[in-house]
Amino acid sequence: NFIVRQGFMFYNRLILPMWGKLFSKDKKAYSYLSDSALHFPYGEKLKNIFEEIGFQEVNIIPQAGGISSIYSATKS
């Protein structure tokens, strides 16, 4: 969802680091957190990674309009 993604990007790039600087005095740590979240694989890309390392029955359940997802899988 384009609108949800733009809201997430705004929060992640501007609001989260500002709160980090305000409360912990370490803006860099919270910038790292947002950068990490932005580059973390998701959706089919993460599902493929799970399957490549031997997981089966990988399911993706999007949450909150796609902001996050629940992944479940089995491994024999």
Side-chain angles (χ1 to χ4, degrees):
N1 182 321
F2 177 78
I3 294 170
V4 172
R5 180 166 176 76
Q6 294 307 311
F8 176 75
M9 296 288 282
F10 174 78
Y11 174 79
N12 223 10
R13 296 243 183 217
L14 299 173
I15 305 299
L16 186 61
M18 181 183 69
W19 281 103
K21 183 177 181 182
L22 180 67
F23 289 108
S24 76
K25 309 295 186 234
D26 187 2
K27 183 179 178 181
K28 195 182 280 188
Y30 284 83
S31 296
Y32 171 79
L33 177 64
S34 65
D35 288 343
S36 176
L38 288 173
H39 293 98
F40 192 83
Y42 63 92
E44 290 297 316
K45 187 172 183 179
L46 185 57
K47 179 180 179 180
N48 291 338
I49 292 170
F50 281 134
E51 290 172 342
E52 286 173 12
I53 61 173
F55 284 92
Q56 301 152 352
E57 301 176 36
V58 180
N59 296 301
I60 307 168
I61 306 166
Q63 303 293 302
I67 291 174
S68 63
S69 296
I70 297 172
Y71 295 85
S72 66
T74 59
K75 188 165 186 176
S76 302

